[in-house]
């Protein structure tokens, strides 16, 4: 009976350690996924800002050669 009790306790401890390792591994994967998602968001925000700046520059470009020369003289080009 004592042998059965010890075997049961050992089996319980092994199962508990296995569950703990599984849980820690899963939590680590979730944390890595969050970090990757945040990095992707930062990259997407940067690309969006760049695209908006390019669109604004296209909209603000001078229409004529005289306007280009005027902007160069003013130092705003």
């Amino acid at each position: 009976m004592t042998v059965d009790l010890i075997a049961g306790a050992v089996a319980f401890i092994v199962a508990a350690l296995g569950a703990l390792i599984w849980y820690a591994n899963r939590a680590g994967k979730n944390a890595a996924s969050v970090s990757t998602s945040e990095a992707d968001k930062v990259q997407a925000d940067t690309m969006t800002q760049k695209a908006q700046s390019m669109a604004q520059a296209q909209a603000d470009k001078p229409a004529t050669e005289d306007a280009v020369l005027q902007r160069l003289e003013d130092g705003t080009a």
Side-chain angles (χ1 to χ4, degrees):
M1 174 117 141
T2 306
V3 175
D4 291 336
L5 188 60
I6 292 172
V10 169
F12 177 76
I13 290 171
V14 169
L17 286 174
L20 182 61
I21 290 170
W22 173 81
Y23 179 76
N25 187 29
R26 185 161 173 88
K29 285 181 182 179
N30 286 343
S33 177
V34 169
S35 297
T36 302
S37 295
E38 288 175 354
D40 289 346
K41 179 191 173 296
V42 168
Q43 183 180 9
D45 288 344
T46 302
M47 292 179 72
T48 300
Q49 181 63 35
K50 195 177 290 186
Q52 287 174 342
S53 296
M54 289 176 12
Q56 188 63 44
Q58 182 72 18
D60 291 344
K61 74 177 183 179
T64 65
E65 184 178 336
D66 291 336
V68 172
L69 294 174
Q70 184 62 42
R71 285 185 66 184
L72 287 171
E73 289 175 9
D74 294 343
T76 60

